[in-house]
């Protein structure tokens, strides 16, 4: 088996500058972050050449699963593959060209196909996310304790998706500062979450830093800790999470498009749906001129419009999928136009 260790030889260090945690308004200029990722991708020549050989051999059917336990925030979805015109292989971000999935620890032997209603938690200033699920049977919650208790009580009707629209915090060193809807990682880790174990529902975390992992050994066991790790260990059939901040308007538009793309065709694997979504965003960017812009225009002013275009591409690559590359999700429609779940008043 070919191996491509990330750090090979002198001079290769952790690339702090390429984390998509920097992709936010007021952070690193989007074009500079993209160029950092381009340079990092160029250093991975052995890996990108191997992936292109796989693309030649398997064509559109190629699926790649990444097990990354470095804790380095490596943006594999954004790894830039070089074009190979002689084989009609376009270049661009890996996540827009190949069905891509991630995993932690033991990889699932077979795909899952959860089917049922949406169970959702919505922070008070993210209640608009409920609009994503108007067409489907939906059980919304607005209090985090009540929502988490609901994951321990298997409902009479099946659950296809567990969705959280809320705020998250992250710290590279302090596990207590890893929070989701103001609850700590430890709060989630102590729960059974029977709904996930018995129904293998897909989890979607629309929250800042929800996909980031802390390299932690403070409780005597070395390993990566994070909300992705918790939900997968509790039995989730897969997770869609964010590698950075999702608070501004652009990021909210992206998660809406992701939800629509993933749920519109219940027979299309989640990994393929996310690839389609990223490819559409990248194609729109490329149509406006494929070169990554400078930060300033000829007049010396910051080029806000073209920087926003780059930021959209980065946001599309920020959302990661953990799960089997063939897993799907099917959401059930509302029984009637005016139907409202009994749990809607829970708070």
């Amino acid at each position: 088996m070919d191996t491509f260790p990330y750090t090979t030889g002198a001079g290769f260090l952790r690339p702090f500058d390429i984390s998509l945690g920097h992709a936010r308004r007021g952070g690193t200029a989007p074009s500079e972050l993209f160029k950092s990722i381009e340079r990092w991708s160029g250093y991975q020549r052995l890996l990108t050449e191997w992936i292109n050989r796989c693309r030649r051999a398997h064509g559109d059917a190629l699926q790649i699963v990444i097990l990354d336990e470095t804790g380095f925030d490596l943006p594999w979805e954004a790894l830039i593959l070089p074009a190979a015109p002689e084989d009609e292989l376009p270049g661009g971000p890996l996540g827009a060209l190949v069905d891509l999935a991630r995993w932690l620890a033991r990889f699932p032997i077979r795909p899952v196909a959860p089917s049922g209603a949406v169970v959702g938690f919505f922070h008070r200033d993210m209640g608009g996310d409920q609009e994503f699920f108007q067409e489907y049977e939906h059980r919304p919650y607005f209090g985090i304790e009540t929502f988490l208790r609901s994951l321990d009580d298997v409902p009479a009707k099946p659950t296809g998706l567990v969705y959280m629209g809320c705020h998250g915090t992250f710290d590279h060193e302090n596990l207590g500062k890893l929070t989701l809807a103001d609850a700590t990682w430890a709060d989630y880790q102590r729960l059974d979450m029977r709904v996930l174990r018995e129904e293998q529902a897909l989890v979607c975390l629309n929250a800042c830093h929800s996909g980031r992992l802390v390299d932690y050994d403070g409780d005597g066991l070395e390993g990566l800790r994070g909300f992705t790790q918790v939900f997968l260990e509790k039995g989730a059939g897969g997770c869609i999470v964010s590698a950075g901040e999702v608070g501004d308007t652009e990021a909210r538009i992206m998660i809406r498009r992701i939800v629509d793309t993933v749920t519109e065709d219940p027979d299309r694997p989640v990994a393929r749906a996310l690839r389609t979504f990223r490819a559409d965003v990248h194609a729109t960017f490329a149509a406006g001129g494929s070169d990554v812009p400078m930060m300033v225009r000829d007049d010396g002013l910051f080029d806000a419009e073209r920087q926003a275009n780059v930021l959209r591409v980065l946001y599309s690559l920020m959302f990661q999928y953990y799960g089997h590359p063939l897993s799907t999700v099917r959401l059930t429609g509302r029984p009637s136009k005016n139907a409202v779940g009994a749990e809607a008043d829970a708070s």
Side-chain angles (χ1 to χ4, degrees):
M1 176 184 293
D2 291 334
T3 59
F4 297 93
Y6 173 69
T7 52
T8 53
F12 283 84
L13 302 171
R14 177 175 178 172
F16 288 97
D17 287 349
I18 68 172
S19 169
L20 290 178
H22 301 307
R24 63 186 187 275
R25 293 192 182 279
T28 303
S31 62
E32 295 306 293
L33 176 54
F34 199 101
K35 291 167 188 174
S36 292
I37 293 172
E38 280 184 328
R39 294 195 301 275
W40 167 73
S41 300
Y43 306 149
Q44 317 309 316
R45 181 177 57 82
L46 292 177
L47 176 58
T48 56
E49 288 180 351
W50 174 75
I51 293 174
N52 271 352
R53 292 199 300 272
C54 292
R55 293 168 71 197
R56 293 186 193 103
H58 300 285
D60 200 49
L62 178 63
Q63 299 167 334
I64 292 179
V65 178
I66 294 174
L67 173 63
D68 182 351
E69 296 182 318
T70 62
F72 285 2
D73 285 342
L74 298 177
W76 292 112
E77 291 76 7
L79 178 73
I80 305 299
L81 298 182
E86 67 279 9
D87 295 302
E88 298 183 347
L89 295 177
L94 174 63
L97 296 171
V98 175
D99 291 0
L100 187 66
R102 292 176 176 241
W103 197 255
L104 296 169
R106 293 186 301 275
F107 183 70
I109 297 173
R110 59 184 62 88
V112 298
S115 177
V118 180
V119 175
F121 169 78
F122 304 94
H123 192 269
R124 56 184 173 272
D125 63 355
M126 296 179 70
D129 285 12
Q130 293 180 79
E131 297 176 2
F132 301 172
F133 308 108
Q134 286 181 342
E135 301 176 16
Y136 306 109
E137 187 177 356
H138 181 208
R139 300 190 293 272
Y141 292 85
F142 306 99
I144 188 60
E145 286 189 86
T146 307
F147 167 74
L148 291 177
R149 283 199 302 269
S150 78
L151 297 183
D152 279 331
D153 298 322
V154 178
K157 294 182 178 180
T159 300
L161 175 69
V162 173
Y163 180 90
M164 296 186 70
C166 58
H167 299 290
T169 62
F170 175 81
D171 187 285
H172 276 292
E173 298 179 353
N174 190 335
L175 188 63
K177 293 183 179 179
L178 186 64
T179 69
L180 190 64
D182 298 321
T184 66
W185 175 89
D187 290 329
Y188 287 80
Q189 191 272 335
R190 296 178 71 248
L191 300 173
D192 288 335
M193 299 189 190
R194 290 178 56 230
V195 170
L196 300 184
R197 186 172 65 253
E198 297 191 17
E199 308 207 16
Q200 298 179 307
L202 175 69
V203 172
C204 181
L205 304 179
N206 180 18
C208 293
H209 312 297
S210 57
R212 302 181 75 179
L213 299 160
V214 177
D215 191 358
Y216 181 77
D217 58 8
D219 54 12
L221 182 65
E222 183 180 11
L224 297 177
R225 308 287 200 277
F227 293 108
T228 309
Q229 163 254 328
V230 167
F231 282 109
L232 290 177
E233 287 186 356
K234 300 298 180 181
C239 293
I240 297 174
V241 293
S242 171
E245 293 192 8
V246 296
D248 69 22
T249 301
E250 294 288 357
R252 297 293 299 282
I253 292 172
M254 288 294 175
I255 191 65
R256 173 63 182 265
R257 290 178 59 185
I258 287 173
V259 170
D260 288 344
T261 305
V262 168
T263 59
E264 67 185 358
D265 182 357
D267 296 320
R268 179 170 59 181
V270 175
R272 173 59 61 95
L274 286 172
R275 169 187 167 185
T276 300
F277 159 74
R278 298 185 193 111
D280 288 345
V281 175
H282 187 259
T284 299
F285 170 72
S290 58
D291 194 30
V292 180
M294 296 174 58
M295 285 194 298
V296 296
R297 305 181 311 219
D298 280 348
D299 58 9
L301 297 178
F302 183 75
D303 194 342
E305 181 178 352
R306 290 201 295 172
Q307 291 296 310
N309 292 338
V310 180
L311 187 59
R312 292 187 192 101
V313 175
L314 294 172
Y315 277 149
S316 75
L317 300 166
M318 179 189 296
F319 291 97
Q320 304 168 346
Y321 169 64
Y322 286 77
H324 195 288
L326 292 176
S327 290
T328 60
V329 62
R330 181 183 298 270
L331 302 185
T332 53
R334 291 181 181 275
S336 67
K337 200 168 187 178
N338 297 320
V340 178
E343 294 89 351
D345 293 330
S347 61

